[in-house]
Amino acid sequence: MSNRERIVELLDVIPDYKIGYVLAYVQGIAADEEADALFCQRMVENYENAPDEDKEDIPLEECKKEWGLA
């Protein structure tokens, strides 16, 4: 059984007075995903629409080192 199927199954045993809590939680999670996707899309669009002189070619290894990932 998938996680999705298990969640649907559990919804059947949750009392009606608690469904509002579940709904609020799920909506919060969904909103975060949508907001993250929208933010990333805007970042890409901003980069693509920026003048060439504002764009830098930075080697991946340099970025990783700067971000502490090296």
Side-chain angles (χ1 to χ4, degrees), residues 26-36:
V26 172
Q27 285 176 327
I29 292 171
D32 288 345
E33 291 296 321
E34 290 173 16
D36 288 347

Side-chain angles (χ1 to χ4, degrees), residues 3-23:
N3 287 337
R4 183 178 301 272
E5 291 168 331
R6 181 70 180 129
I7 289 169
V8 170
E9 184 179 90
L10 287 171
L11 286 174
D12 289 335
V13 297
I14 294 175
D16 286 342
Y17 73 93
K18 289 186 177 180
I19 291 292
Y21 299 119
V22 174
L23 177 60

Side-chain angles (χ1 to χ4, degrees), residues 26-58:
V26 172
Q27 285 176 327
I29 292 171
D32 288 345
E33 291 296 321
E34 290 173 16
D36 288 347
L38 190 57
F39 174 79
C40 291
Q41 182 60 38
R42 281 198 205 119
M43 292 288 288
V44 169
E45 289 170 0
N46 288 342
Y47 176 80
E48 290 173 343
N49 295 325
D52 285 340
E53 60 267 10
D54 289 349
K55 297 177 184 176
E56 287 184 59
D57 287 328
I58 302 173

